[in-house]
PDB file of all heavy atoms in Angstrom:
ATOM      1  N   GLN A   1       0.775  -1.207   0.001  1.00  0.00           N
ATOM      2  CA  GLN A   1      -0.043  -0.014  -0.048  1.00  0.00           C
ATOM      3  C   GLN A   1       0.892   1.290  -0.025  1.00  0.00           C
ATOM      4  O   GLN A   1       0.625   2.164  -0.731  1.00  0.00           O
ATOM      5  CB  GLN A   1      -0.905  -0.024   1.215  1.00  0.00           C
ATOM      6  CG  GLN A   1      -1.973  -1.086   1.108  1.00  0.00           C
ATOM      7  CD  GLN A   1      -2.679  -1.410   2.368  1.00  0.00           C
ATOM      8  OE1 GLN A   1      -2.197  -1.085   3.466  1.00  0.00           O
ATOM      9  NE2 GLN A   1      -3.923  -1.916   2.334  1.00  0.00           N
ATOM     10  N   LYS A   2       1.884   1.351   0.862  1.00  0.00           N
ATOM     11  CA  LYS A   2       2.695   2.495   1.002  1.00  0.00           C
ATOM     12  C   LYS A   2       3.664   2.723  -0.289  1.00  0.00           C
ATOM     13  O   LYS A   2       3.771   3.864  -0.700  1.00  0.00           O
ATOM     14  CB  LYS A   2       3.483   2.449   2.260  1.00  0.00           C
ATOM     15  CG  LYS A   2       2.710   2.640   3.500  1.00  0.00           C
ATOM     16  CD  LYS A   2       3.581   2.546   4.714  1.00  0.00           C
ATOM     17  CE  LYS A   2       2.661   2.668   5.928  1.00  0.00           C
ATOM     18  NZ  LYS A   2       3.494   2.350   7.226  1.00  0.00           N
ATOM     19  N   ILE A   3       4.280   1.719  -0.698  1.00  0.00           N
ATOM     20  CA  ILE A   3       5.287   1.858  -1.741  1.00  0.00           C
ATOM     21  C   ILE A   3       4.634   1.817  -3.105  1.00  0.00           C
ATOM     22  O   ILE A   3       4.909   2.615  -3.941  1.00  0.00           O
ATOM     23  CB  ILE A   3       6.388   0.764  -1.555  1.00  0.00           C
ATOM     24  CG1 ILE A   3       7.152   0.915  -0.264  1.00  0.00           C
ATOM     25  CG2 ILE A   3       7.323   0.826  -2.799  1.00  0.00           C
ATOM     26  CD1 ILE A   3       8.024  -0.217   0.107  1.00  0.00           C
ATOM     27  N   LEU A   4       3.753   0.829  -3.321  1.00  0.00           N
ATOM     28  CA  LEU A   4       3.179   0.630  -4.701  1.00  0.00           C
ATOM     29  C   LEU A   4       1.826   1.246  -4.841  1.00  0.00           C
ATOM     30  O   LEU A   4       1.284   1.233  -5.957  1.00  0.00           O
ATOM     31  CB  LEU A   4       3.145  -0.856  -5.097  1.00  0.00           C
ATOM     32  CG  LEU A   4       4.521  -1.515  -5.101  1.00  0.00           C
ATOM     33  CD1 LEU A   4       4.316  -3.006  -5.346  1.00  0.00           C
ATOM     34  CD2 LEU A   4       5.357  -0.872  -6.218  1.00  0.00           C
ATOM     35  N   LYS A   5       1.269   1.837  -3.758  1.00  0.00           N
ATOM     36  CA  LYS A   5       0.007   2.609  -3.788  1.00  0.00           C
ATOM     37  C   LYS A   5      -1.161   1.763  -4.391  1.00  0.00           C
ATOM     38  O   LYS A   5      -1.866   2.183  -5.286  1.00  0.00           O
ATOM     39  CB  LYS A   5       0.166   3.805  -4.666  1.00  0.00           C
ATOM     40  CG  LYS A   5       1.343   4.693  -4.288  1.00  0.00           C
ATOM     41  CD  LYS A   5       1.153   5.404  -3.013  1.00  0.00           C
ATOM     42  CE  LYS A   5       2.315   6.351  -2.768  1.00  0.00           C
ATOM     43  NZ  LYS A   5       2.658   6.491  -1.353  1.00  0.00           N
ATOM     44  N   ILE A   6      -1.345   0.476  -3.802  1.00  0.00           N
ATOM     45  CA  ILE A   6      -2.373  -0.360  -4.377  1.00  0.00           C
ATOM     46  C   ILE A   6      -3.401  -0.658  -3.180  1.00  0.00           C
ATOM     47  O   ILE A   6      -3.939  -1.776  -3.139  1.00  0.00           O
ATOM     48  CB  ILE A   6      -1.800  -1.611  -4.963  1.00  0.00           C
ATOM     49  CG1 ILE A   6      -0.922  -2.385  -4.039  1.00  0.00           C
ATOM     50  CG2 ILE A   6      -1.096  -1.245  -6.268  1.00  0.00           C
ATOM     51  CD1 ILE A   6      -0.499  -3.778  -4.567  1.00  0.00           C
ATOM     52  N   ASP A   7      -3.757   0.278  -2.408  1.00  0.00           N
ATOM     53  CA  ASP A   7      -4.716   0.118  -1.248  1.00  0.00           C
ATOM     54  C   ASP A   7      -6.025  -0.399  -1.844  1.00  0.00           C
ATOM     55  O   ASP A   7      -6.618  -1.325  -1.259  1.00  0.00           O
ATOM     56  CB  ASP A   7      -5.011   1.435  -0.608  1.00  0.00           C
ATOM     57  CG  ASP A   7      -3.724   2.246  -0.203  1.00  0.00           C
ATOM     58  OD1 ASP A   7      -2.821   2.237  -1.058  1.00  0.00           O
ATOM     59  OD2 ASP A   7      -3.734   2.823   0.790  1.00  0.00           O
ATOM     60  N   ASN A   8      -6.566   0.225  -2.891  1.00  0.00           N
ATOM     61  CA  ASN A   8      -7.881  -0.064  -3.379  1.00  0.00           C
ATOM     62  C   ASN A   8      -7.938  -1.486  -3.913  1.00  0.00           C
ATOM     63  O   ASN A   8      -8.933  -2.248  -3.646  1.00  0.00           O
ATOM     64  CB  ASN A   8      -8.360   0.876  -4.415  1.00  0.00           C
ATOM     65  CG  ASN A   8      -8.539   2.303  -3.921  1.00  0.00           C
ATOM     66  OD1 ASN A   8      -8.730   2.525  -2.769  1.00  0.00           O
ATOM     67  ND2 ASN A   8      -8.406   3.246  -4.784  1.00  0.00           N
ATOM     68  N   GLU A   9      -6.922  -1.906  -4.670  1.00  0.00           N
ATOM     69  CA  GLU A   9      -6.947  -3.281  -5.163  1.00  0.00           C
ATOM     70  C   GLU A   9      -6.851  -4.311  -4.073  1.00  0.00           C
ATOM     71  O   GLU A   9      -7.591  -5.332  -4.172  1.00  0.00           O
ATOM     72  CB  GLU A   9      -5.680  -3.420  -6.179  1.00  0.00           C
ATOM     73  CG  GLU A   9      -5.705  -2.578  -7.446  1.00  0.00           C
ATOM     74  CD  GLU A   9      -5.153  -1.205  -7.224  1.00  0.00           C
ATOM     75  OE1 GLU A   9      -5.005  -0.732  -6.094  1.00  0.00           O
ATOM     76  OE2 GLU A   9      -4.873  -0.491  -8.281  1.00  0.00           O
ATOM     77  N   ILE A  10      -6.113  -4.082  -3.056  1.00  0.00           N
ATOM     78  CA  ILE A  10      -5.990  -5.095  -1.971  1.00  0.00           C
ATOM     79  C   ILE A  10      -7.365  -5.165  -1.232  1.00  0.00           C
ATOM     80  O   ILE A  10      -7.848  -6.170  -0.968  1.00  0.00           O
ATOM     81  CB  ILE A  10      -4.837  -4.754  -0.958  1.00  0.00           C
ATOM     82  CG1 ILE A  10      -3.544  -4.916  -1.625  1.00  0.00           C
ATOM     83  CG2 ILE A  10      -4.997  -5.536   0.320  1.00  0.00           C
ATOM     84  CD1 ILE A  10      -2.257  -4.416  -0.847  1.00  0.00           C
ATOM     85  N   SER A  11      -7.997  -4.001  -0.937  1.00  0.00           N
ATOM     86  CA  SER A  11      -9.230  -3.954  -0.256  1.00  0.00           C
ATOM     87  C   SER A  11     -10.369  -4.622  -1.117  1.00  0.00           C
ATOM     88  O   SER A  11     -11.142  -5.411  -0.504  1.00  0.00           O
ATOM     89  CB  SER A  11      -9.665  -2.487   0.030  1.00  0.00           C
ATOM     90  OG  SER A  11      -8.780  -1.878   0.884  1.00  0.00           O
ATOM     91  N   LYS A  12     -10.380  -4.309  -2.414  1.00  0.00           N
ATOM     92  CA  LYS A  12     -11.456  -4.878  -3.250  1.00  0.00           C
ATOM     93  C   LYS A  12     -11.292  -6.343  -3.683  1.00  0.00           C
ATOM     94  O   LYS A  12     -12.264  -7.075  -3.670  1.00  0.00           O
ATOM     95  CB  LYS A  12     -11.543  -3.888  -4.448  1.00  0.00           C
ATOM     96  CG  LYS A  12     -12.696  -4.107  -5.304  1.00  0.00           C
ATOM     97  CD  LYS A  12     -12.823  -3.161  -6.409  1.00  0.00           C
ATOM     98  CE  LYS A  12     -14.124  -3.271  -7.145  1.00  0.00           C
ATOM     99  NZ  LYS A  12     -14.246  -2.280  -8.223  1.00  0.00           N
ATOM    100  N   PHE A  13     -10.068  -6.722  -3.948  1.00  0.00           N
ATOM    101  CA  PHE A  13      -9.817  -8.018  -4.599  1.00  0.00           C
ATOM    102  C   PHE A  13      -9.019  -8.998  -3.719  1.00  0.00           C
ATOM    103  O   PHE A  13      -9.011 -10.202  -3.962  1.00  0.00           O
ATOM    104  CB  PHE A  13      -9.098  -7.903  -5.907  1.00  0.00           C
ATOM    105  CG  PHE A  13      -9.844  -7.083  -6.884  1.00  0.00           C
ATOM    106  CD1 PHE A  13      -9.355  -5.783  -7.138  1.00  0.00           C
ATOM    107  CD2 PHE A  13     -11.039  -7.468  -7.476  1.00  0.00           C
ATOM    108  CE1 PHE A  13     -10.043  -4.920  -8.016  1.00  0.00           C
ATOM    109  CE2 PHE A  13     -11.622  -6.711  -8.406  1.00  0.00           C
ATOM    110  CZ  PHE A  13     -11.153  -5.349  -8.692  1.00  0.00           C
ATOM    111  N   GLY A  14      -8.371  -8.580  -2.629  1.00  0.00           N
ATOM    112  CA  GLY A  14      -7.586  -9.375  -1.818  1.00  0.00           C
ATOM    113  C   GLY A  14      -6.130  -9.348  -2.351  1.00  0.00           C
ATOM    114  O   GLY A  14      -5.819  -9.165  -3.513  1.00  0.00           O
ATOM    115  N   VAL A  15      -5.141  -9.618  -1.446  1.00  0.00           N
ATOM    116  CA  VAL A  15      -3.781  -9.461  -1.732  1.00  0.00           C
ATOM    117  C   VAL A  15      -3.329 -10.544  -2.788  1.00  0.00           C
ATOM    118  O   VAL A  15      -2.425 -10.345  -3.604  1.00  0.00           O
ATOM    119  CB  VAL A  15      -2.854  -9.523  -0.479  1.00  0.00           C
ATOM    120  CG1 VAL A  15      -2.789 -10.896   0.152  1.00  0.00           C
ATOM    121  CG2 VAL A  15      -1.453  -9.011  -0.809  1.00  0.00           C
ATOM    122  N   VAL A  16      -3.980 -11.711  -2.761  1.00  0.00           N
ATOM    123  CA  VAL A  16      -3.592 -12.725  -3.739  1.00  0.00           C
ATOM    124  C   VAL A  16      -4.653 -12.662  -4.844  1.00  0.00           C
ATOM    125  O   VAL A  16      -5.717 -13.338  -4.825  1.00  0.00           O
ATOM    126  CB  VAL A  16      -3.566 -14.198  -3.099  1.00  0.00           C
ATOM    127  CG1 VAL A  16      -3.221 -15.188  -4.152  1.00  0.00           C
ATOM    128  CG2 VAL A  16      -2.565 -14.200  -1.956  1.00  0.00           C
ATOM    129  N   SER A  17      -4.347 -11.793  -5.811  1.00  0.00           N
ATOM    130  CA  SER A  17      -5.313 -11.660  -6.870  1.00  0.00           C
ATOM    131  C   SER A  17      -4.597 -11.086  -8.176  1.00  0.00           C
ATOM    132  O   SER A  17      -3.537 -10.571  -8.183  1.00  0.00           O
ATOM    133  CB  SER A  17      -6.415 -10.602  -6.530  1.00  0.00           C
ATOM    134  OG  SER A  17      -5.789  -9.311  -6.321  1.00  0.00           O
ATOM    135  N   LYS A  18      -5.349 -11.304  -9.281  1.00  0.00           N
ATOM    136  CA  LYS A  18      -4.885 -10.912 -10.622  1.00  0.00           C
ATOM    137  C   LYS A  18      -4.654  -9.325 -10.518  1.00  0.00           C
ATOM    138  O   LYS A  18      -3.702  -8.822 -11.062  1.00  0.00           O
ATOM    139  CB  LYS A  18      -5.948 -11.275 -11.592  1.00  0.00           C
ATOM    140  CG  LYS A  18      -5.830 -10.576 -12.918  1.00  0.00           C
ATOM    141  CD  LYS A  18      -7.187 -10.971 -13.739  1.00  0.00           C
ATOM    142  CE  LYS A  18      -7.224  -9.951 -14.874  1.00  0.00           C
ATOM    143  NZ  LYS A  18      -8.142 -10.305 -15.859  1.00  0.00           N
ATOM    144  N   GLN A  19      -5.590  -8.650 -10.009  1.00  0.00           N
ATOM    145  CA  GLN A  19      -5.579  -7.176  -9.994  1.00  0.00           C
ATOM    146  C   GLN A  19      -4.369  -6.691  -9.165  1.00  0.00           C
ATOM    147  O   GLN A  19      -3.809  -5.622  -9.590  1.00  0.00           O
ATOM    148  CB  GLN A  19      -6.897  -6.634  -9.430  1.00  0.00           C
ATOM    149  CG  GLN A  19      -8.098  -6.949 -10.259  1.00  0.00           C
ATOM    150  CD  GLN A  19      -8.780  -8.325 -10.061  1.00  0.00           C
ATOM    151  OE1 GLN A  19      -8.261  -9.135  -9.226  1.00  0.00           O
ATOM    152  NE2 GLN A  19      -9.799  -8.584 -10.799  1.00  0.00           N
ATOM    153  N   VAL A  20      -4.037  -7.321  -8.083  1.00  0.00           N
ATOM    154  CA  VAL A  20      -2.920  -6.819  -7.270  1.00  0.00           C
ATOM    155  C   VAL A  20      -1.615  -7.108  -8.027  1.00  0.00           C
ATOM    156  O   VAL A  20      -0.708  -6.273  -8.104  1.00  0.00           O
ATOM    157  CB  VAL A  20      -2.933  -7.603  -5.822  1.00  0.00           C
ATOM    158  CG1 VAL A  20      -1.602  -7.409  -5.182  1.00  0.00           C
ATOM    159  CG2 VAL A  20      -4.078  -6.961  -5.005  1.00  0.00           C
ATOM    160  N   ALA A  21      -1.519  -8.301  -8.681  1.00  0.00           N
ATOM    161  CA  ALA A  21      -0.383  -8.573  -9.408  1.00  0.00           C
ATOM    162  C   ALA A  21      -0.119  -7.578 -10.621  1.00  0.00           C
ATOM    163  O   ALA A  21       0.968  -7.082 -10.776  1.00  0.00           O
ATOM    164  CB  ALA A  21      -0.385  -9.973  -9.980  1.00  0.00           C
ATOM    165  N   GLU A  22      -1.166  -7.253 -11.293  1.00  0.00           N
ATOM    166  CA  GLU A  22      -1.120  -6.312 -12.404  1.00  0.00           C
ATOM    167  C   GLU A  22      -0.660  -4.914 -11.888  1.00  0.00           C
ATOM    168  O   GLU A  22       0.164  -4.294 -12.443  1.00  0.00           O
ATOM    169  CB  GLU A  22      -2.486  -6.178 -13.091  1.00  0.00           C
ATOM    170  CG  GLU A  22      -2.832  -7.303 -14.061  1.00  0.00           C
ATOM    171  CD  GLU A  22      -4.208  -7.073 -14.626  1.00  0.00           C
ATOM    172  OE1 GLU A  22      -4.930  -6.105 -14.413  1.00  0.00           O
ATOM    173  OE2 GLU A  22      -4.544  -7.938 -15.406  1.00  0.00           O
ATOM    174  N   SER A  23      -1.309  -4.523 -10.837  1.00  0.00           N
ATOM    175  CA  SER A  23      -0.988  -3.194 -10.225  1.00  0.00           C
ATOM    176  C   SER A  23       0.384  -3.027  -9.687  1.00  0.00           C
ATOM    177  O   SER A  23       1.061  -2.053  -9.754  1.00  0.00           O
ATOM    178  CB  SER A  23      -2.016  -2.869  -9.204  1.00  0.00           C
ATOM    179  OG  SER A  23      -3.349  -2.659  -9.774  1.00  0.00           O
ATOM    180  N   MET A  24       0.917  -4.193  -9.073  1.00  0.00           N
ATOM    181  CA  MET A  24       2.196  -4.176  -8.596  1.00  0.00           C
ATOM    182  C   MET A  24       3.203  -3.882  -9.747  1.00  0.00           C
ATOM    183  O   MET A  24       4.139  -3.097  -9.604  1.00  0.00           O
ATOM    184  CB  MET A  24       2.589  -5.484  -7.906  1.00  0.00           C
ATOM    185  CG  MET A  24       1.886  -5.696  -6.539  1.00  0.00           C
ATOM    186  SD  MET A  24       2.237  -7.360  -5.861  1.00  0.00           S
ATOM    187  CE  MET A  24       3.915  -7.345  -5.543  1.00  0.00           C
ATOM    188  N   ALA A  25       3.030  -4.641 -10.865  1.00  0.00           N
ATOM    189  CA  ALA A  25       3.961  -4.413 -11.983  1.00  0.00           C
ATOM    190  C   ALA A  25       3.740  -3.020 -12.655  1.00  0.00           C
ATOM    191  O   ALA A  25       4.750  -2.332 -12.895  1.00  0.00           O
ATOM    192  CB  ALA A  25       3.694  -5.503 -13.031  1.00  0.00           C
ATOM    193  N   LYS A  26       2.513  -2.605 -12.756  1.00  0.00           N
ATOM    194  CA  LYS A  26       2.239  -1.274 -13.351  1.00  0.00           C
ATOM    195  C   LYS A  26       2.789  -0.130 -12.592  1.00  0.00           C
ATOM    196  O   LYS A  26       3.404   0.798 -13.128  1.00  0.00           O
ATOM    197  CB  LYS A  26       0.736  -1.125 -13.516  1.00  0.00           C
ATOM    198  CG  LYS A  26       0.333   0.174 -14.108  1.00  0.00           C
ATOM    199  CD  LYS A  26      -1.221   0.226 -14.122  1.00  0.00           C
ATOM    200  CE  LYS A  26      -1.618   1.689 -14.109  1.00  0.00           C
ATOM    201  NZ  LYS A  26      -2.806   1.983 -13.355  1.00  0.00           N
ATOM    202  N   ASN A  27       2.743  -0.243 -11.264  1.00  0.00           N
ATOM    203  CA  ASN A  27       3.265   0.848 -10.422  1.00  0.00           C
ATOM    204  C   ASN A  27       4.790   0.765 -10.113  1.00  0.00           C
ATOM    205  O   ASN A  27       5.421   1.720  -9.929  1.00  0.00           O
ATOM    206  CB  ASN A  27       2.501   0.869  -9.044  1.00  0.00           C
ATOM    207  CG  ASN A  27       1.033   1.318  -9.261  1.00  0.00           C
ATOM    208  OD1 ASN A  27       0.620   1.660 -10.405  1.00  0.00           O
ATOM    209  ND2 ASN A  27       0.197   1.264  -8.256  1.00  0.00           N
ATOM    210  N   ALA A  28       5.306  -0.494 -10.210  1.00  0.00           N
ATOM    211  CA  ALA A  28       6.762  -0.613 -10.018  1.00  0.00           C
ATOM    212  C   ALA A  28       7.465  -0.003 -11.207  1.00  0.00           C
ATOM    213  O   ALA A  28       8.568   0.661 -11.035  1.00  0.00           O
ATOM    214  CB  ALA A  28       7.130  -2.117  -9.889  1.00  0.00           C
ATOM    215  N   ILE A  29       6.954  -0.146 -12.378  1.00  0.00           N
ATOM    216  CA  ILE A  29       7.636   0.318 -13.615  1.00  0.00           C
ATOM    217  C   ILE A  29       7.815   1.850 -13.530  1.00  0.00           C
ATOM    218  O   ILE A  29       8.732   2.476 -14.166  1.00  0.00           O
ATOM    219  CB  ILE A  29       6.952  -0.182 -14.914  1.00  0.00           C
ATOM    220  CG1 ILE A  29       7.956  -0.207 -16.025  1.00  0.00           C
ATOM    221  CG2 ILE A  29       5.774   0.737 -15.275  1.00  0.00           C
ATOM    222  CD1 ILE A  29       7.425  -0.982 -17.256  1.00  0.00           C
ATOM    223  N   LYS A  30       6.968   2.497 -12.792  1.00  0.00           N
ATOM    224  CA  LYS A  30       7.037   3.985 -12.724  1.00  0.00           C
ATOM    225  C   LYS A  30       8.348   4.539 -12.056  1.00  0.00           C
ATOM    226  O   LYS A  30       8.684   5.641 -12.223  1.00  0.00           O
ATOM    227  CB  LYS A  30       5.820   4.503 -11.925  1.00  0.00           C
ATOM    228  CG  LYS A  30       4.486   4.376 -12.613  1.00  0.00           C
ATOM    229  CD  LYS A  30       3.337   4.751 -11.709  1.00  0.00           C
ATOM    230  CE  LYS A  30       2.046   4.459 -12.367  1.00  0.00           C
ATOM    231  NZ  LYS A  30       0.879   4.832 -11.545  1.00  0.00           N
ATOM    232  N   PHE A  31       9.019   3.597 -11.289  1.00  0.00           N
ATOM    233  CA  PHE A  31      10.204   3.977 -10.697  1.00  0.00           C
ATOM    234  C   PHE A  31      11.437   3.951 -11.628  1.00  0.00           C
ATOM    235  O   PHE A  31      12.497   4.322 -11.273  1.00  0.00           O
ATOM    236  CB  PHE A  31      10.541   3.087  -9.507  1.00  0.00           C
ATOM    237  CG  PHE A  31       9.570   3.209  -8.382  1.00  0.00           C
ATOM    238  CD1 PHE A  31       8.636   2.273  -8.031  1.00  0.00           C
ATOM    239  CD2 PHE A  31       9.652   4.380  -7.586  1.00  0.00           C
ATOM    240  CE1 PHE A  31       7.758   2.463  -7.013  1.00  0.00           C
ATOM    241  CE2 PHE A  31       8.731   4.519  -6.483  1.00  0.00           C
ATOM    242  CZ  PHE A  31       7.766   3.581  -6.198  1.00  0.00           C
ATOM    243  N   SER A  32      11.243   3.362 -12.844  1.00  0.00           N
ATOM    244  CA  SER A  32      12.367   3.239 -13.815  1.00  0.00           C
ATOM    245  C   SER A  32      12.386   4.458 -14.687  1.00  0.00           C
ATOM    246  O   SER A  32      11.352   4.941 -15.209  1.00  0.00           O
ATOM    247  CB  SER A  32      12.151   1.961 -14.588  1.00  0.00           C
ATOM    248  OG  SER A  32      13.257   1.846 -15.537  1.00  0.00           O
ATOM    249  N   ASN A  33      13.615   4.810 -15.003  1.00  0.00           N
ATOM    250  CA  ASN A  33      13.853   5.889 -16.018  1.00  0.00           C
ATOM    251  C   ASN A  33      14.269   5.375 -17.380  1.00  0.00           C
ATOM    252  O   ASN A  33      14.480   6.183 -18.311  1.00  0.00           O
ATOM    253  CB  ASN A  33      14.892   6.880 -15.472  1.00  0.00           C
ATOM    254  CG  ASN A  33      14.456   7.678 -14.261  1.00  0.00           C
ATOM    255  OD1 ASN A  33      13.251   8.011 -14.198  1.00  0.00           O
ATOM    256  ND2 ASN A  33      15.336   7.899 -13.378  1.00  0.00           N
ATOM    257  N   ASP A  34      14.381   4.053 -17.505  1.00  0.00           N
ATOM    258  CA  ASP A  34      14.840   3.504 -18.750  1.00  0.00           C
ATOM    259  C   ASP A  34      13.685   3.470 -19.778  1.00  0.00           C
ATOM    260  O   ASP A  34      12.496   3.382 -19.428  1.00  0.00           O
ATOM    261  CB  ASP A  34      15.303   2.065 -18.467  1.00  0.00           C
ATOM    262  CG  ASP A  34      16.704   2.103 -17.782  1.00  0.00           C
ATOM    263  OD1 ASP A  34      17.665   2.429 -18.455  1.00  0.00           O
ATOM    264  OD2 ASP A  34      16.712   1.801 -16.596  1.00  0.00           O
ATOM    265  N   LYS A  35      14.019   3.480 -21.068  1.00  0.00           N
ATOM    266  CA  LYS A  35      13.114   3.581 -22.079  1.00  0.00           C
ATOM    267  C   LYS A  35      12.383   2.269 -22.320  1.00  0.00           C
ATOM    268  O   LYS A  35      11.182   2.181 -22.610  1.00  0.00           O
ATOM    269  CB  LYS A  35      13.690   4.056 -23.363  1.00  0.00           C
ATOM    270  CG  LYS A  35      14.134   5.580 -23.348  1.00  0.00           C
ATOM    271  CD  LYS A  35      14.866   5.904 -24.616  1.00  0.00           C
ATOM    272  CE  LYS A  35      15.351   7.399 -24.408  1.00  0.00           C
ATOM    273  NZ  LYS A  35      16.298   7.743 -25.378  1.00  0.00           N
ATOM    274  N   SER A  36      13.179   1.188 -22.313  1.00  0.00           N
ATOM    275  CA  SER A  36      12.588  -0.147 -22.471  1.00  0.00           C
ATOM    276  C   SER A  36      12.766  -0.953 -21.173  1.00  0.00           C
ATOM    277  O   SER A  36      13.846  -1.342 -20.847  1.00  0.00           O
ATOM    278  CB  SER A  36      13.322  -0.852 -23.632  1.00  0.00           C
ATOM    279  OG  SER A  36      12.802  -2.079 -23.881  1.00  0.00           O
ATOM    280  N   THR A  37      11.659  -1.192 -20.571  1.00  0.00           N
ATOM    281  CA  THR A  37      11.634  -1.776 -19.274  1.00  0.00           C
ATOM    282  C   THR A  37      10.513  -2.894 -19.189  1.00  0.00           C
ATOM    283  O   THR A  37       9.398  -2.666 -19.571  1.00  0.00           O
ATOM    284  CB  THR A  37      11.383  -0.759 -18.114  1.00  0.00           C
ATOM    285  OG1 THR A  37      12.326   0.276 -18.164  1.00  0.00           O
ATOM    286  CG2 THR A  37      11.433  -1.377 -16.770  1.00  0.00           C
TER     287      THR A  37
END
């Protein structure tokens, strides 16, 4: 929740879910400055 900002996904779908996995990857990529990641 704090690092990846996925509070809503965890609350709505549970921590072991497709939506949480997608959001983890989507929000993690935001920390990269590389063009192809």
Side-chain angles (χ1 to χ4, degrees):
Q1 292 165 336
K2 288 178 184 173
I3 297 167
L4 297 174
K5 311 289 186 210
I6 56 172
D7 313 38
N8 294 335
E9 292 86 343
I10 292 172
S11 298
K12 192 171 181 181
F13 303 105
V15 71
V16 180
S17 66
K18 162 189 166 170
Q19 294 83 357
V20 165
E22 283 178 2
S23 294
M24 287 173 70
K26 180 181 156 218
N27 292 354
I29 208 166
K30 293 176 184 177
F31 293 108
S32 180
N33 293 324
D34 287 286
K35 291 176 185 166
S36 186
T37 305

